[in-house]
Amino acid sequence: YAEVIIQSDNLENVISICESKFDGPKSSLIRRVQQILAFEEKWSLNYVPSESNRVADALAKMVLMRDETLHMFEELPLEIKEVLKEDCTFDNLTMIYSM
């Protein structure tokens, strides 16, 4: 890989990971991420509100409900189709009200 890109919907964790200090009362996961990133040349860490990425949220929830380790979809799952439909409706309503 050429670059590491991390996206998180937890602003507090994004700030903690970006801090250069390795000491302090941080979770072991945050300390481990910092250790890994210290050896990477190119990396970025972005805060993405969960409302902005509902498809990824829906996929993550689907994984938690199933016992499979890997699943490849030939068609969009119904759950994802519903999220996309809601997002389009929401985007259209937002556009109408902002005009």
Side-chain angles (χ1 to χ4, degrees):
Y1 55 89
E3 182 178 1
V4 175
I5 301 171
I6 301 171
Q7 295 183 334
S8 174
D9 66 351
N10 187 315
L11 183 58
E12 183 179 323
N13 286 345
V14 169
I15 292 168
S16 293
I17 291 169
C18 288
E19 289 178 349
S20 59
K21 300 179 222 169
F22 285 96
D23 58 343
K26 296 178 188 162
S27 74
S28 58
L29 177 62
I30 289 174
R31 284 193 307 270
R32 183 65 182 130
V33 169
Q34 287 177 321
Q35 290 169 353
I36 292 168
L37 293 177
F39 292 102
E40 298 300 325
E41 289 183 33
K42 283 182 80 177
W43 61 272
S44 63
L45 178 58
N46 305 313
Y47 169 69
V48 180
S50 57
E51 301 83 34
S52 300
N53 203 353
R54 294 182 58 216
V55 171
D57 189 50
L59 286 170
K61 288 178 181 173
M62 287 172 55
V63 168
L64 291 174
M65 295 184 329
R66 297 181 179 167
D67 292 332
E68 303 168 15
T69 56
L70 174 67
H71 187 88
M72 296 176 65
F73 300 102
E74 292 184 25
E75 293 183 21
L76 280 176
L78 181 60
E79 297 95 323
I80 303 304
K81 287 180 183 179
E82 290 174 2
V83 168
L84 290 172
K85 183 178 176 182
E86 290 171 8
D87 281 352
C88 287
T89 303
F90 178 76
D91 289 342
N92 289 338
L93 288 173
T94 303
M95 188 174 71
I96 290 168
Y97 287 118
S98 63
M99 292 181 160

